[in-house]
Amino acid sequence: MKTAWMSGFGVFLALGFLFFGGAAYWSSPVQPIRFNHAIHVANGMDCADCHPGARTGENATLPGIDVCLSCHGEALTKSPEEEKIRTIAKAGKEIPWVQLTRVPRHVYFSHRRHAGLGGIPCTECHGPMEKRTAPPPEPFRTLNMNACIQCHQQRNVRHDCDDCHR
């Protein structure tokens, strides 16, 4: 009786995960533009050119339409991906980027403190974006407490609870 109940519960749980929660684990987010980091870096651009605050603010932020239009207001190529920028702008909208890298809401994280003052390269957390010809399908690194503490220990910097949990 107990085995049958446990088996039934397991099947119920698996089906629930499959139909209601599993899709998020098996599918990659689709970005609105197939952004090519490699070509932008090859043209001399830096992370902070498109991600304001990457070294000076709390948040690096995702590029707003105004950032993209500063170079792509007029066509530079015949790329349909580039044309999407102007189409979105003509509609008076922002680019609906899907943010991949996140820290929990109860955690305070400052890009200024880590990338600006600490000198940690963007690639440490975000991977070799300069080589990517398409948006990444998932975050490069899982940012959780263990990863953060390990990084702080490797660099011999403080990791008191109050530094991050505010």
Side-chain angles (χ1 to χ4, degrees):
M1 179 76 164
K2 189 174 186 179
T3 304
W5 185 87
M6 291 299 285
S7 296
F9 180 75
V11 169
F12 177 76
L13 193 63
L15 287 173
F17 178 78
L18 179 66
F19 290 110
F20 299 107
Y25 294 99
W26 292 312
S27 64
S28 299
V30 176
Q31 296 292 358
I33 297 173
R34 188 176 164 87
F35 187 82
N36 184 330
H37 282 87
I39 199 163
H40 287 81
V41 171
N43 283 312
M45 296 187 73
D46 179 69
C47 301
D49 292 335
C50 296
H51 298 276
R55 292 184 186 85
T56 59
E58 281 187 25
N59 300 309
T61 70
L62 294 167
I65 193 74
D66 56 329
V67 171
C68 299
L69 287 175
S70 67
C71 295
H72 297 284
E74 300 293 325
L76 299 176
T77 69
K78 293 183 180 186
S79 165
E81 297 304 307
E82 182 186 358
E83 185 58 36
K84 288 179 184 178
I85 296 166
R86 290 183 293 280
T87 301
I88 292 168
K90 286 176 189 169
K93 297 181 178 180
E94 278 295 329
I95 300 173
W97 298 113
V98 178
Q99 184 177 349
L100 291 182
T101 306
R102 297 178 181 270
V103 294
R105 293 183 101 158
H106 65 279
V107 174
Y108 172 77
F109 177 88
S110 167
H111 273 84
R112 179 180 173 270
R113 166 69 68 196
H114 290 82
L117 301 174
I120 298 172
C122 301
T123 56
E124 187 76 24
C125 296
H126 299 286
M129 296 301 286
E130 73 279 2
K131 296 177 182 177
R132 295 211 55 95
T133 58
E138 59 191 23
F140 174 73
R141 181 177 310 282
T142 300
L143 299 178
N144 58 29
M145 192 165 87
N146 287 338
C148 295
I149 288 174
Q150 183 179 29
C151 184
H152 278 231
Q153 287 173 337
Q154 289 171 349
R155 288 173 170 74
N156 199 27
V157 294
R158 281 173 44 129
H159 53 279
D160 294 338
C161 299
D162 291 340
D163 291 343
C164 303
H165 297 274
R166 297 184 177 176

